[in-house]
Amino acid sequence: MPLSTATDRNSFAQDLFTPLPARYDRLAELLSFGQNGRWRRAMVDRVLPASGGTILDVASGTAGVAIQLARRSGYQVTGVDLTEQMLARGRRNVADAGLSGRISLVCGRAEELPFPDASFDALTFTYLLRYVADPQATLAELARVVRPGGRVASLEFCAPPAPWRRAAWWAYTRTLLPAGGLLTGGREWLDVGRFLGPSISAHYRKYPVDWTVAAWKKAGFTDVGYRLMSLGGGLVMWGTRSGG
């Protein structure tokens, strides 16, 4: 059944990620050949440097991006995620990093953020838009909580545009990724591996990169740019909250 409503998408994301937190960080790096960390750094580079302020990290998961933001800046960081089990692991990671005083993690939906307008000086979001029913409305909600002039950056998976690269990516995501997930993470990671490639392909058939750039602008961002990472397997996008 197509996941067409916010409730459908939220429930699916919770079911998918609930079993994963204990091994999420290690396996995310392993199965991406270390590219996940490189992509995150490239995204964070787009909202830093900063002398201080507040930043919201949406789809924060186990707080990997939130920890990097806090370590690299003077920001007070708030992370929000739909899945409480991921946040529980994130809180342990934050405590282990000695950053409990700088990072707070709360449960919430990207489509309906529990914050007033213009609450944050910057915002990041990671691997989000495939899990919402209406990406355009979600981008508008993200823009709502950022002050005018605030920087925003995102990281998403992408499907490589060049035919030969796309063929190699297709083979990896449909065969090696599910097998590697099963061998290193068990049944739950097999399910993730089986889901990931078809999900990315379907998303970009409906919402290609040019559409996403236009959606950011429509939501209220200016100076929108993007960079394809790792031969097109990752997409870092950025912009500035307009003053309107």
Side-chain angles (χ1 to χ4, degrees), residues 63-90:
V65 171
I67 289 169
Q68 185 175 157
L69 287 164
R71 282 175 169 166
R72 293 180 57 188
S73 76
Y75 277 126
Q76 208 51 42
V77 182
T78 300
V80 61
D81 196 273
L82 184 66
T83 307
E84 184 57 52
Q85 288 83 353
M86 295 287 277
L87 289 173
R89 171 61 64 171

Short mmCIF file of all heavy atoms in Angstrom, two decimals, residues 63-90:
data_model
loop_
_atom_site.label_atom_id
_atom_site.label_comp_id
_atom_site.label_asym_id
_atom_site.label_seq_id
_atom_site.Cartn_x
_atom_site.Cartn_y
_atom_site.Cartn_z
N ALA A 63 21.90 11.29 17.39
CA ALA A 63 22.56 12.56 17.74
C ALA A 63 23.95 12.74 17.15
O ALA A 63 24.70 13.60 17.61
CB ALA A 63 22.61 12.75 19.26
N GLY A 64 24.29 12.00 16.12
CA GLY A 64 25.61 12.16 15.52
C GLY A 64 25.86 13.56 14.99
O GLY A 64 26.94 14.14 15.21
N VAL A 65 24.89 14.11 14.27
CA VAL A 65 25.04 15.46 13.74
C VAL A 65 25.00 16.48 14.87
O VAL A 65 25.78 17.44 14.90
CB VAL A 65 23.95 15.76 12.69
CG1 VAL A 65 23.97 17.23 12.29
CG2 VAL A 65 24.16 14.89 11.45
N ALA A 66 24.09 16.30 15.83
CA ALA A 66 23.99 17.24 16.95
C ALA A 66 25.31 17.32 17.71
O ALA A 66 25.76 18.42 18.10
CB ALA A 66 22.86 16.82 17.88
N ILE A 67 25.96 16.19 17.93
CA ILE A 67 27.25 16.18 18.63
C ILE A 67 28.31 16.91 17.82
O ILE A 67 29.09 17.71 18.36
CB ILE A 67 27.66 14.73 18.93
CG1 ILE A 67 26.75 14.14 20.01
CG2 ILE A 67 29.13 14.66 19.36
CD1 ILE A 67 26.90 12.64 20.21
N GLN A 68 28.34 16.68 16.52
CA GLN A 68 29.32 17.38 15.69
C GLN A 68 29.08 18.89 15.70
O GLN A 68 30.04 19.68 15.80
CB GLN A 68 29.26 16.85 14.25
CG GLN A 68 30.33 17.44 13.37
CD GLN A 68 30.37 16.86 11.97
OE1 GLN A 68 30.88 17.52 11.04
NE2 GLN A 68 29.84 15.68 11.78
N LEU A 69 27.82 19.30 15.63
CA LEU A 69 27.50 20.73 15.67
C LEU A 69 27.97 21.36 16.98
O LEU A 69 28.55 22.45 16.99
CB LEU A 69 26.00 20.93 15.51
CG LEU A 69 25.43 20.69 14.11
CD1 LEU A 69 23.92 20.54 14.17
CD2 LEU A 69 25.82 21.83 13.16
N ALA A 70 27.71 20.69 18.08
CA ALA A 70 28.11 21.23 19.38
C ALA A 70 29.62 21.30 19.52
O ALA A 70 30.17 22.27 20.07
CB ALA A 70 27.50 20.39 20.50
N ARG A 71 30.31 20.29 19.03
CA ARG A 71 31.77 20.26 19.16
C ARG A 71 32.44 21.34 18.30
O ARG A 71 33.48 21.88 18.67
CB ARG A 71 32.29 18.89 18.75
CG ARG A 71 32.13 17.81 19.82
CD ARG A 71 32.56 16.46 19.30
NE ARG A 71 32.64 15.47 20.38
CZ ARG A 71 32.73 14.15 20.17
NH1 ARG A 71 32.76 13.67 18.92
NH2 ARG A 71 32.81 13.34 21.19
N ARG A 72 31.84 21.64 17.17
CA ARG A 72 32.49 22.53 16.21
C ARG A 72 32.05 23.99 16.32
O ARG A 72 32.50 24.82 15.53
CB ARG A 72 32.24 22.03 14.79
CG ARG A 72 32.92 20.70 14.49
CD ARG A 72 32.63 20.24 13.07
NE ARG A 72 33.03 21.24 12.09
CZ ARG A 72 32.75 21.14 10.78
NH1 ARG A 72 32.07 20.09 10.33
NH2 ARG A 72 33.13 22.09 9.95
N SER A 73 31.16 24.29 17.24
CA SER A 73 30.63 25.65 17.32
C SER A 73 30.29 26.02 18.75
O SER A 73 30.40 25.21 19.67
CB SER A 73 29.37 25.75 16.45
OG SER A 73 28.26 25.13 17.11
N GLY A 74 29.81 27.24 18.91
CA GLY A 74 29.30 27.67 20.20
C GLY A 74 27.81 27.50 20.33
O GLY A 74 27.19 28.07 21.24
N TYR A 75 27.22 26.73 19.42
CA TYR A 75 25.78 26.57 19.41
C TYR A 75 25.26 25.78 20.62
O TYR A 75 25.91 24.85 21.11
CB TYR A 75 25.33 25.81 18.17
CG TYR A 75 25.17 26.64 16.92
CD1 TYR A 75 25.84 26.28 15.75
CD2 TYR A 75 24.34 27.75 16.90
CE1 TYR A 75 25.68 27.02 14.59
CE2 TYR A 75 24.17 28.49 15.75
CZ TYR A 75 24.85 28.13 14.59
OH TYR A 75 24.69 28.85 13.45
N GLN A 76 24.06 26.13 21.03
CA GLN A 76 23.22 25.30 21.88
C GLN A 76 22.34 24.51 20.90
O GLN A 76 21.65 25.09 20.06
CB GLN A 76 22.38 26.20 22.76
CG GLN A 76 21.92 25.73 24.11
CD GLN A 76 22.93 25.16 25.05
OE1 GLN A 76 24.03 25.68 25.19
NE2 GLN A 76 22.56 24.09 25.71
N VAL A 77 22.38 23.20 20.94
CA VAL A 77 21.75 22.36 19.93
C VAL A 77 20.52 21.65 20.50
O VAL A 77 20.58 21.08 21.59
CB VAL A 77 22.74 21.31 19.37
CG1 VAL A 77 22.09 20.49 18.27
CG2 VAL A 77 24.01 22.00 18.86
N THR A 78 19.44 21.69 19.73
CA THR A 78 18.26 20.89 20.03
C THR A 78 18.07 19.88 18.91
O THR A 78 18.06 20.26 17.73
CB THR A 78 16.99 21.77 20.14
OG1 THR A 78 17.16 22.72 21.18
CG2 THR A 78 15.76 20.91 20.43
N GLY A 79 17.95 18.62 19.25
CA GLY A 79 17.68 17.58 18.28
C GLY A 79 16.26 17.10 18.42
O GLY A 79 15.75 16.94 19.53
N VAL A 80 15.59 16.85 17.31
CA VAL A 80 14.23 16.33 17.34
C VAL A 80 14.15 15.13 16.41
O VAL A 80 14.73 15.12 15.32
CB VAL A 80 13.20 17.42 16.95
CG1 VAL A 80 13.42 17.94 15.53
CG2 VAL A 80 11.77 16.91 17.10
N ASP A 81 13.47 14.08 16.86
CA ASP A 81 13.33 12.87 16.08
C ASP A 81 12.00 12.21 16.42
O ASP A 81 11.47 12.37 17.53
CB ASP A 81 14.49 11.91 16.35
CG ASP A 81 14.60 10.82 15.28
OD1 ASP A 81 13.94 9.77 15.41
OD2 ASP A 81 15.34 11.05 14.30
N LEU A 82 11.50 11.43 15.48
CA LEU A 82 10.21 10.77 15.64
C LEU A 82 10.29 9.54 16.52
O LEU A 82 9.30 9.15 17.16
CB LEU A 82 9.69 10.38 14.24
CG LEU A 82 8.32 9.75 14.12
CD1 LEU A 82 7.24 10.75 14.52
CD2 LEU A 82 8.09 9.27 12.70
N THR A 83 11.47 8.89 16.59
CA THR A 83 11.59 7.57 17.20
C THR A 83 12.29 7.67 18.55
O THR A 83 13.47 8.00 18.65
CB THR A 83 12.38 6.63 16.28
OG1 THR A 83 11.78 6.63 14.97
CG2 THR A 83 12.40 5.21 16.82
N GLU A 84 11.56 7.37 19.60
CA GLU A 84 12.08 7.52 20.95
C GLU A 84 13.27 6.60 21.21
O GLU A 84 14.21 6.97 21.93
CB GLU A 84 10.98 7.24 21.98
CG GLU A 84 11.41 7.48 23.42
CD GLU A 84 11.92 8.88 23.68
OE1 GLU A 84 11.21 9.84 23.34
OE2 GLU A 84 13.05 9.01 24.22
N GLN A 85 13.28 5.41 20.60
CA GLN A 85 14.40 4.49 20.82
C GLN A 85 15.70 5.06 20.25
O GLN A 85 16.78 4.87 20.82
CB GLN A 85 14.08 3.12 20.20
CG GLN A 85 13.04 2.33 20.96
CD GLN A 85 11.62 2.72 20.59
OE1 GLN A 85 11.39 3.69 19.86
NE2 GLN A 85 10.65 1.98 21.10
N MET A 86 15.62 5.74 19.10
CA MET A 86 16.81 6.38 18.55
C MET A 86 17.28 7.51 19.48
O MET A 86 18.48 7.68 19.72
CB MET A 86 16.52 6.93 17.16
CG MET A 86 16.21 5.86 16.12
SD MET A 86 17.67 4.91 15.59
CE MET A 86 18.34 6.02 14.37
N LEU A 87 16.33 8.27 20.01
CA LEU A 87 16.69 9.36 20.90
C LEU A 87 17.32 8.85 22.20
O LEU A 87 18.23 9.49 22.75
CB LEU A 87 15.45 10.20 21.21
CG LEU A 87 14.92 11.05 20.06
CD1 LEU A 87 13.61 11.70 20.46
CD2 LEU A 87 15.93 12.11 19.62
N ALA A 88 16.83 7.71 22.69
CA ALA A 88 17.42 7.15 23.90
C ALA A 88 18.90 6.83 23.68
O ALA A 88 19.75 7.11 24.53
CB ALA A 88 16.65 5.90 24.33
N ARG A 89 19.21 6.23 22.54
CA ARG A 89 20.62 5.99 22.20
C ARG A 89 21.36 7.31 22.02
O ARG A 89 22.51 7.45 22.46
CB ARG A 89 20.70 5.15 20.92
CG ARG A 89 22.10 5.00 20.33
CD ARG A 89 23.07 4.33 21.27
NE ARG A 89 22.69 2.96 21.56
CZ ARG A 89 23.46 2.09 22.22
NH1 ARG A 89 24.65 2.47 22.66
NH2 ARG A 89 23.04 0.87 22.46
N GLY A 90 20.70 8.28 21.41
CA GLY A 90 21.31 9.58 21.24
C GLY A 90 21.66 10.24 22.56
O GLY A 90 22.73 10.85 22.70
#
